Amino acid sequence: MPETHARRRQALRDLLRRADLDAVLVTDLLNIRYLTGFTGSQAALVVHAADEPGAERGTAFSTDGRYRTQSAEQVPDLERLIERPSELVLAEHLAQDPARYRRTGFESGHVTVDGLDVLAAAAPGIELVRAPGLVEDLRLIKDAAEVDALRMACAAADRALADLIEHGGLRPGRTELEVARELEARMREHGAAGPSFETIVAAGAHSAIPHHRPTGAVLAAGDFVKMDFGALVDGYHSDMTRTVVLGSPADWQREIYELVRTAQAAGREAVRPGADVREVDGAARKVIEDAGYGERFPHGLGHGVGLEIHEAPALSQRGDGTIREGMVVTVEPGVYVPERGGVRIEDTLAVRASTPELLTLTTKELVAV
């Protein structure tokens, strides 16, 4: 997708000009992937503010000899310098034309203090300026190619869970670890490169632990089984949580499940362009607090997803910013009752002008297996 990556670099140039920067040195590998399509483990990129698509004479990419062939295929439209360490190679490249790169930003959220000293020594005559979050600001809004990848990742997770249930993978006598491993295997069967994070399977009292790691604990009749999992497709992460009951649900399980389902619907409804992220969190949180379970909802409502499983924005009481069309976020309220069990319901949503697009399609009705 050279055209897609060229458009993204051009959008970055707009930010550079507003920041009065001649260029930016990109060293975070995910940001490099976003801007070039390169998927290797060692690279750096300099983007010049004055370049134009098709005439990127001040923009250059560097990696090492292991990736000579791969970089030629993935980054065919940029000057490539094959030498390591790539960030120093590009710093020296800047120093060859100090007038062109007079004020160059660097990713201060990713460069260490010692690393900055090394870069400065390699680029005499260049003013290296802290420029945190420039590429991440662009990554907040997902383009069509990104949403397509996220949609496929969500579909792989949906299908994996459906297969798991259809083939009897959720039953008393199995362990949390066995269920987690089968979910991950089935996501691969449906096109995922792998899980997007360590799969959570939490049964019985363990379901009251928000981020329980699966163990050899055995599933039993009457258990809540909470599953938080996602698929990785083309570098993009899906995220979904569903909670089921093994056998007939007890009254207290129905009560908590319906409370969380109502809160999750309120949170989804609040995901609108222009909404403050704290207000979105509050829409779901109020439902739970009004029912007397406020202290049993100890985490934020959701987060952005994309090339990372946790990206901005944070939908939480301490979050900052507003919802914008094109963001992709999760909505995942939960209620956790120690020693008994807990429920979390989570969807991944693409923010649209009106109603958000639901990317995770598995039912949110209480499923008794």
Side-chain angles (χ1 to χ4, degrees), residues 97-223:
D97 194 350
R100 171 179 277 185
Y101 301 103
R102 179 180 56 86
R103 278 174 51 85
T104 293
F106 69 94
E107 295 188 302
S108 53
H110 303 103
V111 176
T112 66
V113 175
D114 289 346
L116 177 58
D117 289 342
V118 174
L119 289 175
I126 305 296
E127 181 184 0
L128 294 175
V129 181
R130 293 175 183 268
L134 288 177
V135 183
E136 287 85 349
D137 285 348
L138 295 179
R139 285 170 48 194
L140 280 169
I141 307 301
K142 272 55 181 180
D143 59 32
E146 292 180 287
V147 176
D148 283 346
L150 287 161
R151 194 179 285 115
M152 288 188 290
C154 290
D158 277 323
R159 292 167 185 163
L161 180 57
D163 283 355
L164 179 77
I165 294 173
E166 180 182 349
H167 292 91
L170 283 175
R171 63 180 185 272
R174 298 201 83 194
T175 68
E176 294 171 339
L177 279 169
E178 287 171 338
V179 173
R181 289 167 181 161
E182 183 173 345
L183 258 180
E184 292 178 357
R186 291 189 179 279
M187 285 191 286
R188 288 186 174 92
E189 290 173 2
H190 288 290
S196 54
F197 55 91
E198 184 180 4
T199 297
I200 294 171
V201 175
H206 287 167
S207 63
I209 303 170
H211 276 191
H212 172 73
R213 300 180 71 177
T215 69
V218 176
L219 280 60
D223 278 353

Side-chain angles (χ1 to χ4, degrees), residues 27-299:
T27 51
D28 177 77
L29 284 170
L30 286 179
N31 288 342
I32 292 168
R33 178 173 185 162
Y34 177 79
L35 295 168
T36 68
F38 180 70
T39 60
S41 64
Q42 202 280 131
L45 172 72
V46 61
V47 177
H48 198 277
D51 282 350
E52 296 291 339
E56 297 184 82
R57 299 183 181 88
T59 297
F61 169 88
S62 178
T63 187
D64 62 63
R66 295 172 297 164
Y67 298 113
R68 185 183 298 274
T69 301
Q70 178 180 330
S71 63
E73 294 172 351
Q74 294 182 328
V75 195
D77 52 344
L78 295 180
E79 177 184 3
R80 290 179 299 115
L81 306 175
I82 309 299
E83 190 177 347
R84 67 182 305 171
S86 291
E87 64 274 15
L88 292 186
V89 171
L90 288 184
E92 292 166 354
H93 177 75
L94 303 179
Q96 293 175 15
D97 194 350
R100 171 179 277 185
Y101 301 103
R102 179 180 56 86
R103 278 174 51 85
T104 293
F106 69 94
E107 295 188 302
S108 53
H110 303 103
V111 176
T112 66
V113 175
D114 289 346
L116 177 58
D117 289 342
V118 174
L119 289 175
I126 305 296
E127 181 184 0
L128 294 175
V129 181
R130 293 175 183 268
L134 288 177
V135 183
E136 287 85 349
D137 285 348
L138 295 179
R139 285 170 48 194
L140 280 169
I141 307 301
K142 272 55 181 180
D143 59 32
E146 292 180 287
V147 176
D148 283 346
L150 287 161
R151 194 179 285 115
M152 288 188 290
C154 290
D158 277 323
R159 292 167 185 163
L161 180 57
D163 283 355
L164 179 77
I165 294 173
E166 180 182 349
H167 292 91
L170 283 175
R171 63 180 185 272
R174 298 201 83 194
T175 68
E176 294 171 339
L177 279 169
E178 287 171 338
V179 173
R181 289 167 181 161
E182 183 173 345
L183 258 180
E184 292 178 357
R186 291 189 179 279
M187 285 191 286
R188 288 186 174 92
E189 290 173 2
H190 288 290
S196 54
F197 55 91
E198 184 180 4
T199 297
I200 294 171
V201 175
H206 287 167
S207 63
I209 303 170
H211 276 191
H212 172 73
R213 300 180 71 177
T215 69
V218 176
L219 280 60
D223 278 353
F224 267 141
V225 181
K226 182 183 69 197
M227 296 163 288
D228 188 344
F229 60 104
L232 184 66
V233 173
D234 291 339
Y236 285 82
H237 301 72
S238 71
D239 198 357
M240 177 171 72
T241 307
R242 291 296 186 269
T243 306
V244 304
V245 178
L246 297 185
S248 298
D251 289 344
W252 71 270
Q253 290 174 317
R254 291 184 183 277
E255 175 191 343
I256 292 176
Y257 191 93
E258 187 59 29
L259 173 61
V260 174
R261 191 167 76 97
T262 302
Q264 207 259 355
R268 295 197 322 270
E269 179 65 26
V271 175
R272 294 281 190 271
D276 187 287
V277 295
R278 290 166 294 189
E279 293 174 358
V280 177
D281 176 277
R285 193 171 300 278
K286 185 177 186 301
V287 174
I288 294 172
E289 288 176 341
D290 287 351
Y293 286 94
E295 65 180 18
R296 303 302 185 194
F297 178 18
H299 54 76

Side-chain angles (χ1 to χ4, degrees), residues 4 55 213 274 367:
T4 296
R213 300 180 71 177
V367 173

